Amino acid sequence: MAERTRFRIWTACCVVAALTAAWLMLRGPWLETNLLALLPATEKDPVVEKALRGYATYLSRKWVVTVGHHDEEQALAAGQAVYQAMTNSPLFEQVDGRIDDQQEQAFYQLYFPYRFGLLDAEARRLLSHDHDGADRLLQRSERALYSPIATGWANLLPQDPLLLMPHFWQELPRPSGRFSPHRGFLTARYQDQWFVLLSATLKDEPFSPRVQNAVAAFQEKLQADLQQQFAGLQFTETGLVRYAHAGTQSAQGEITTIGVGSMLGVVLLVLSVFRSVRPLWMALLPIGAGLLFAQTACLLIFGRVHLLTLGVGAGLIGICIDYSFHFFTEQTVAKAPWTPRDGLAHIFPGITFGMITSVLGYAGLLATPFPGLQQMAVFSGVGLAAAYAAVVCWFPVLADPTPRDRRPWLLTAGGRYLRLWPWLKRQPLGLAVLLVWAATALLFLRRIKVDDDIRSLQHPAPHLKQQETFLRELTGGFDGNRFFIVEGETPALTLRNEEQLLTELRTRLGDRTDVFVQGVSDFVPSPWLQRRNYRLLRDTLLGDDHRLEVFLSRLGFESEVMAGVRARLTEEKVLDLDQWLASPASAPLRHLWLGETERGFATVVFLSGGDTAALEAVEGQDKHAAFVDKVRDTNQLFERYRKLASQWVVAGYVLIFLLLLKRYGLYRGALILTPPLLAALSVLLFLALSGLPLNLFGLLGLLLVLGIGVDYTLFFAETGATRDHDATFMAIILSACTTILSFGLLALSETPVLRLFGTTVWLGISVALVLSPIAGYSQAMTGPEQEDKT
Amino acid sequence: MNLGASRRRGPASLWFWFLAATLSLGAQPPAALMDTPVTLDNAALTAVTERMQQSPVVRARFEQEKTIKALRRPLRSSGRFLFARDHGLHWHTLQPFDSQLVITGKGMLQKENGEITLDINVEERPVVHSFTNVFLALFAGNKETLGKTFDLYMVQEGKHWWLGLKPKQRLLKKVMDHIKLKGDQHLEEIHFVETGGNVTVMKLSGIAVDPPRLTAEEAALLQVSGG
């Protein structure tokens, strides 16, 4: 009766879990594809991290397209077509790259009233450092009047007789590399082609497959249309959304391969070993329950499930099936009288102990700060526990109540292998071989290469990478991962601090043409600087010698012009940040201003090029600025956790050994631990010899090898000296086969970390399987004849 | 990538170069000029442009007069002019101060008192590329290039011809109302009339076309680093 109650309770649990999952998944997007979501904050400074979120979101939504053609008109027409298509599409909230009158006007309206406070660097230098500076500034203006360059500004002359506005304008940093405004677009001439650059900002975040597919469809149609319309057109694009799309596609493909492959393996194994259909569909139940609970738990805890979690989760199929295999094996070899309840009772201690060690192993991952690992831990731990519960609660009721009393081929084959062991274990040579094996692996430990590069998490599609590289050549290469953050107590102080940093950076890196820096204060000089500019102009031009007045009347300016300048210089109107932020002219740069933080205000200094050492040196001198290099910081984090993880691995083995010691004593405890230990050492030896680099994920694989490998030996130990080991070994072989299959498929992944993880696990498990009988009792491994006598 | 700072007055402002290129207290153009459109295949137009193309090198003195509305009197300057059809233009202002401007198919260079103050490679700035293209076409009499950018007008006045150019593109129109060229055997005058009413007149005199090849010194003047 208790069985029935258990059955019903567990079924009810499953229904609740299924309904919860369905509700959570229908409620909104639930699949996460952002690789960065797997990474912890770089732990540099939480205030800064928080402030940067908006900036990162902004960058992640950019999609950049260039069209290139050898004919200027065709290139511009294609640019216009792209602009039209982007503007008409509901996918984007903003399209940049078109330069129209409105923007020019916005620019004028914003800056022109403040022209006398917005001195360009040369004017500032002349006025503040040069003895004849004022005269040279006036000379510069006079030449400009005669020179071709200034002619277009002639209309501004009455308000801006010194042409300060055009100089300020011309000096604003231009970040688009070879691109410059031409006929209403950002255009570049490169390799005998004309290129037009456009960039769109997505309305939604790029990590939902729905958005990715929509952008992909838009891009395909756009490219096809353009190529039909403009023969010989070169279409180049880049953007996180495109990488995310490629990543999602390939991950989905891999997950399908792993899932289908694992299931197929399970089906084939079950059919060929148990020769019955019932174990087949029963075996699917714990897998289903495991995946269901795993998914529900992740959705409940994290809100979303990451694609990579699903990838690792697909490998769970191979582990969830283990408990079922033990049950079916038990049933297959059992002789009457036997009930499913007896079967469960026989395997119960083994699978319970095994489940607990595995779940504990995964729980260890929860202690890491990596959201990705935590999610994988929850997914795998909950999945295993649910699969275990499904076997314990459902099988006694669902299973065919008759024992089979059969000896499947695998049992016989496994049994033959087991017979070797009592003899092997008596040989001193056997022990020597094991010791030499372990010693060799230890000797080679030092030759293992390590690689903590976060980029091993990705496998950018080559065609996208190629286009990005080309665009980088054209645009000057900005990757959004390296920048400075400047802080201050007020917006004005923040701008002032940024000005100091920009000056320092430009002085230090000024001779490098590949280095580019740009900050908000380039576009809105701090109030301090604007007032200083006014003062410089007043002191040098409105002094007792009436320099400016003399100059203006010599050139033939009306006298109101002088009065106007005097009024502006006395009035001292200062352009403030809020005006800039509110103006359409700031739209493409606004994101640099991070706004208010918990301790003041912050802004980002845009950076491309420059070697890290020089930038770090600047950082070291400036107490308001911090240099952020996401890749460097994350790599450092990976390195730190790799070192920690290697300690966890050692600690894990010691801890398990202590547990074993308590239950089994020194001798058998050591025997139980030997196969997983040698498995781990063998994997390390393989890495050392093959040259494959080790990282955090490889070490986590070793932890998994420990967890699963100990299971195998525990089953032997728990079977006890009195019961035949053949059945136990068959269950272990079956378990190991599916695990090796799942992780072997994972090892074929395109993503380097998954490849390493898969390789580590399948190799380790194979070794653990081969060595597992070492933990068995010799008297139980001599064959069924022996057993008959007892 | 960030497109922000490029929202400058760029396209228009660089067209001002164009205007700048000219000057002088020139002749009064015929009133009917801008009412007399011609097509590219017009025989008289073809004859004029072919005549201009006969001289691969033109040397001259120039006088320039800029009438700027904000100033009570015009700004006058003068200097030397050198144009080589296959190389480019060297324009050396000597009065009221020393300033040189070199424009070639490869780039643009400005020197003041012998010191380089501007150096633009065509590859870097498409707007400069299209500017230098049109600008050189103006002096070379390349009607195909001019026809792409301007609507053309023409009037014959005795042995002189007047050529009128009205920009087709909106952006150029914003800056420049029209350009007028006057010449007989060679180009003699250019008038730039800006949309805002400022006028630049440039007049060439003492024109010499021999030798038809650049001397070594002249070739050196036409070097820009943009190559």
Side-chain angles (χ1 to χ4, degrees):
Chain A
M1 219 39 227
E3 277 160 25
R4 294 260 155 214
T5 320
R6 260 203 329 246
F7 180 88
R8 287 196 194 112
I9 291 174
W10 179 244
T11 310
C13 288
C14 286
V15 172
V16 171
L19 289 175
T20 316
W23 177 67
L24 289 171
M25 283 163 74
L26 289 175
R27 200 183 41 168
W30 59 272
L31 186 62
E32 176 65 78
T33 63
N34 183 1
L35 277 175
L36 296 178
L38 294 171
L39 301 178
T42 43
E43 297 183 333
K44 241 192 148 159
D45 184 339
V47 175
V48 166
E49 288 285 344
K50 206 170 146 193
L52 276 174
R53 237 169 267 161
Y55 178 65
T57 309
Y58 171 84
L59 290 180
S60 73
R61 291 187 182 189
K62 280 261 164 203
W63 181 47
V64 177
V65 170
T66 64
V67 282
H69 202 281
H70 61 84
D71 182 71
E72 181 185 355
E73 301 302 324
Q74 296 273 298
L76 286 166
Q80 177 62 28
V82 174
Y83 177 76
Q84 273 307 329
M86 282 177 164
T87 316
N88 294 340
S89 164
L91 287 169
F92 310 108
E93 64 177 14
Q94 197 190 326
V95 182
D96 293 316
R98 186 94 179 82
I99 297 133
D100 57 26
D101 297 358
Q102 280 176 348
Q103 283 164 306
E104 256 181 57
Q105 245 157 27
F107 203 97
Y108 257 117
Q109 274 162 13
L110 178 69
Y111 286 114
F112 200 66
Y114 307 98
R115 57 196 173 279
F116 291 100
L118 306 172
L119 288 185
D120 56 285
E122 194 198 4
R124 258 193 339 258
R125 188 179 52 77
L126 286 175
L127 294 183
S128 55
H129 295 307
D130 198 316
H131 193 63
D132 305 318
D135 289 330
R136 290 184 57 188
L137 181 75
L138 295 177
Q139 224 173 54
R140 183 181 88 167
S141 310
E142 185 175 356
R143 277 173 180 276
L145 285 179
Y146 283 91
S147 131
I149 298 177
T151 315
W153 301 93
N155 293 338
L156 301 178
L157 279 173
Q159 284 88 46
D160 189 13
L162 297 182
L163 295 172
L164 295 175
M165 186 80 235
H167 277 109
F168 172 75
W169 202 308
Q170 234 119 38
E171 209 199 42
L172 286 179
R174 307 148 34 93
S176 298
R178 295 172 186 275
F179 286 94
S180 57
H182 171 50
R183 293 181 63 185
F185 285 99
L186 282 174
T187 48
R189 292 247 314 145
Y190 184 57
Q191 296 174 346
D192 271 334
Q193 293 217 74
W194 289 85
F195 289 93
V196 175
L197 178 77
L198 290 149
S199 83
T201 311
L202 287 169
K203 256 194 199 106
D204 302 302
E205 59 158 86
F207 302 113
S208 103
R210 184 184 58 78
V211 174
Q212 290 164 11
N213 291 334
V215 174
F218 176 82
Q219 179 265 327
E220 271 166 37
K221 181 166 183 321
L222 178 65
Q223 190 171 356
D225 287 353
L226 288 172
Q227 259 148 7
Q228 196 189 359
Q229 212 179 331
F230 307 94
L233 187 83
Q234 183 184 342
F235 183 96
T236 320
E237 46 141 356
T238 192
L240 190 58
V241 65
R242 306 292 294 135
Y243 282 110
H245 180 248
T248 307
Q249 296 254 304
S250 94
Q252 276 170 348
E254 285 176 6
I255 290 172
T256 313
T257 311
I258 297 167
V260 170
S262 304
M263 289 306 271
L264 221 66
V266 168
V267 169
L268 285 178
L269 268 181
V270 169
L271 285 182
S272 76
V273 173
F274 301 113
R275 297 182 186 280
S276 159
V277 183
R278 186 184 284 224
L280 185 61
W281 64 259
M282 278 180 63
L284 300 182
L285 286 176
I287 296 177
L291 294 178
L292 171 66
F293 275 86
Q295 173 86 349
T296 314
C298 275
L299 286 173
L300 278 175
I301 297 172
F302 303 102
R304 291 189 174 196
V305 180
H306 199 282
L307 206 56
L308 272 186
T309 308
L310 289 183
V312 173
L316 197 65
I317 294 174
I319 309 178
C320 279
I321 189 86
D322 290 7
Y323 311 123
S324 321
F325 280 149
H326 284 280
F327 184 87
F328 296 133
T329 305
E330 169 70 25
Q331 180 178 31
T332 303
V333 300
K335 298 180 173 66
W338 182 90
T339 62
R341 198 173 172 178
D342 298 332
L344 183 63
H346 283 144
I347 63 166
F348 189 76
I351 66 172
T352 308
F353 204 17
M355 186 272 287
I356 290 171
T357 52
S358 301
V359 171
L360 280 179
Y362 284 119
L365 291 185
L366 283 175
T368 68
F370 289 81
L373 293 180
Q374 291 170 354
Q375 211 181 82
M376 288 172 198
V378 168
F379 195 93
S380 306
V382 172
L384 276 189
Y388 165 85
V391 169
V392 171
C393 301
W394 278 344
F395 279 25
V397 177
L398 293 178
D400 184 353
T402 49
R404 287 286 155 84
D405 194 10
R406 285 185 46 238
R407 287 192 66 80
W409 61 271
L410 190 59
L411 190 80
T412 322
R416 271 195 208 120
Y417 178 65
L418 281 185
R419 307 290 166 268
L420 295 173
W421 281 90
W423 174 81
L424 270 179
K425 280 169 79 177
R426 281 196 304 271
Q427 303 295 317
L429 191 65
L431 183 66
V433 168
L434 291 184
L435 287 176
V436 169
W437 188 343
T440 317
L442 285 172
L443 274 178
F444 274 91
L445 269 188
R446 305 186 52 180
R447 292 192 38 188
I448 295 177
K449 283 192 229 145
V450 291
D451 178 9
D452 298 310
D453 198 328
I454 178 220
R455 278 163 281 206
S456 63
L457 274 173
Q458 302 166 318
H459 59 97
H463 70 281
L464 290 177
K465 194 76 206 161
Q466 214 180 326
Q467 297 189 58
E468 189 193 322
T469 310
F470 179 71
L471 277 174
R472 242 160 229 253
E473 265 173 57
L474 278 174
T475 58
F478 161 65
D479 64 7
N481 284 323
R482 295 161 86 239
F483 47 83
F484 274 92
I485 286 201
V486 182
E487 292 186 83
E489 283 162 36
T490 64
L493 283 173
T494 310
L495 289 175
R496 180 70 201 123
N497 292 339
E498 192 197 80
E499 267 158 7
Q500 279 166 342
L501 174 70
L502 288 173
T503 309
E504 181 65 25
L505 284 172
R506 287 184 179 131
T507 318
R508 283 212 185 204
L509 308 168
D511 50 339
R512 298 270 308 271
T513 49
D514 57 331
V515 180
F516 177 81
V517 291
Q518 177 193 49
V520 173
S521 64
D522 285 325
F523 295 84
V524 193
S526 69
W528 178 87
L529 186 63
Q530 292 187 53
R531 292 207 182 90
R532 184 169 173 268
N533 290 342
Y534 278 114
R535 203 174 60 237
L536 280 174
L537 286 170
R538 276 199 310 263
D539 291 353
T540 52
L541 299 179
L542 301 185
D544 297 336
D545 48 4
H546 304 287
R547 246 200 206 106
L548 184 62
E549 208 166 347
V550 171
F551 171 79
L552 291 181
S553 72
R554 180 168 62 79
L555 279 175
F557 278 98
E558 305 290 344
S559 56
E560 303 94 80
V561 173
M562 181 61 214
V565 174
R566 194 187 298 278
R568 296 289 93 73
L569 287 181
T570 329
E571 190 183 27
E572 227 180 59
K573 266 165 82 176
V574 171
L575 170 69
D576 78 41
L577 183 73
D578 290 336
Q579 277 170 289
W580 181 73
L581 289 173
S583 160
S586 72
L589 286 165
R590 246 173 244 157
H591 61 274
L592 290 179
W593 180 254
L594 300 180
E596 195 159 4
T597 68
E598 284 163 36
R599 56 169 180 247
F601 293 83
T603 183
V604 166
V605 170
F606 172 107
L607 180 74
S608 74
D611 63 295
T612 305
L615 297 169
E616 281 172 346
V618 174
E619 179 192 24
Q621 287 181 351
D622 192 327
K623 63 179 187 298
H624 302 292
F627 174 57
V628 179
D629 182 338
K630 285 287 204 188
V631 173
R632 176 199 64 175
D633 295 350
T634 314
N635 290 355
Q636 282 173 354
L637 194 74
F638 268 32
E639 186 189 343
R640 199 146 60 74
Y641 277 95
R642 173 179 48 79
K643 287 177 179 158
L644 265 179
S646 54
Q647 292 163 15
W648 299 335
V649 172
V650 175
Y653 278 77
V654 170
L655 189 75
I656 292 212
F657 183 64
L658 291 177
L659 281 175
L660 295 174
L661 210 57
K662 208 163 168 308
R663 186 170 164 93
Y664 301 100
L666 181 63
Y667 173 66
R668 197 147 294 275
L671 285 184
I672 291 173
L673 197 63
T674 301
L677 186 63
L678 272 179
L681 287 173
S682 308
V683 171
L684 291 174
L685 184 62
F686 169 78
L687 292 179
L689 295 178
S690 69
L692 272 178
L694 179 67
N695 61 25
L696 175 62
F697 294 86
L699 288 165
L700 297 175
L702 289 184
L703 274 179
L704 198 60
V705 168
L706 169 67
I708 302 175
V710 164
D711 277 3
Y712 297 166
T713 43
L714 276 179
F715 288 134
F716 272 120
E718 286 298 322
T719 308
T722 53
R723 296 183 64 242
D724 180 20
H725 280 12
D726 288 11
T728 309
F729 192 48
M730 182 173 100
I732 292 171
I733 296 173
L734 285 169
S735 306
C737 283
T738 52
T739 308
I740 290 167
L741 179 65
S742 294
F743 285 89
L745 289 170
L746 195 62
L748 299 177
S749 167
E750 283 179 1
T751 310
V753 287
L754 290 185
R755 217 154 51 212
L756 177 65
F757 190 70
T759 308
T760 311
V761 176
W762 84 257
L763 255 178
I765 293 303
S766 307
V767 177
L769 170 70
V770 171
L771 295 179
S772 63
I774 213 170
Y777 291 84
S778 291
Q779 60 270 42
M781 291 193 286
T782 47
E785 315 82 40
Q786 212 84 2
E787 193 193 10
D788 286 341
K789 286 175 200 160
T790 54
Chain B
M1 155 170 353
N2 200 315
L3 312 178
S6 34
R7 288 197 175 170
R8 304 191 296 150
R9 201 176 160 78
S13 67
L14 272 160
W15 272 107
F16 305 142
W17 283 86
F18 203 36
L19 311 175
T22 38
L23 341 5
S24 165
L25 347 99
Q28 189 64 36
L33 174 60
M34 301 314 285
D35 299 321
T36 321
V38 287
T39 52
L40 275 183
D41 51 10
N42 180 292
L45 176 68
T46 310
V48 163
T49 53
E50 275 175 1
R51 216 179 307 152
M52 282 172 79
Q53 283 167 4
Q54 276 167 11
S55 320
V57 180
V58 178
R59 303 162 185 88
R61 287 191 302 276
F62 78 82
E63 284 169 279
Q64 170 184 290
E65 182 179 279
K66 289 176 84 172
T67 312
I68 297 174
K69 284 174 126 185
L71 305 183
R72 280 194 295 262
R73 33 181 193 275
L75 299 172
R76 293 205 175 86
S77 56
S78 60
R80 278 202 298 268
F81 169 91
L82 167 69
F83 176 73
R85 197 182 57 207
D86 304 323
H87 299 88
L89 174 75
H90 179 253
W91 179 358
H92 194 169
T93 307
L94 295 162
Q95 289 298 328
F97 35 65
D98 188 287
S99 170
Q100 302 179 56
L101 181 65
V102 184
I103 296 174
T104 76
K106 288 176 186 164
M108 206 150 149
L109 185 78
Q110 184 179 270
K111 282 186 194 170
E112 278 164 14
N113 295 331
E115 193 184 316
I116 295 178
T117 51
L118 184 84
D119 186 358
I120 303 177
N121 180 342
V122 163
E123 276 290 319
E124 291 167 4
R125 307 276 180 96
V127 71
V128 178
H129 177 83
S130 73
F131 163 73
T132 53
N133 242 357
V134 173
F135 198 75
L136 294 173
L138 214 56
F139 290 93
N142 183 340
K143 63 172 184 175
E144 277 74 27
T145 305
L146 291 179
K148 274 189 203 163
T149 315
F150 302 100
D151 292 322
L152 305 180
Y153 302 81
M154 199 180 148
V155 159
Q156 201 83 36
E157 214 180 39
K159 64 176 187 124
H160 282 106
W161 48 263
W162 281 89
L163 202 56
L165 308 162
K166 229 176 162 43
K168 285 178 175 175
Q169 293 164 12
R170 203 179 48 84
L171 272 166
L172 184 51
K173 261 190 219 161
K174 275 172 52 185
V175 187
M176 173 124 53
D177 190 73
H178 64 272
I179 304 170
K180 285 175 239 170
L181 309 180
K182 182 197 168 206
D184 56 5
Q185 196 64 28
H186 309 290
L187 179 66
E188 291 172 355
E189 271 181 38
I190 303 184
H191 300 216
F192 287 96
V193 181
E194 288 179 42
T195 311
N198 299 319
V199 178
T200 305
V201 176
M202 172 191 165
K203 190 173 177 182
L204 300 177
S205 58
I207 296 170
V209 295
D210 287 320
R213 302 190 49 159
L214 289 172
T215 65
E217 296 91 72
E218 285 170 341
L221 289 177
L222 288 173
Q223 288 303 313
V224 292
S225 65

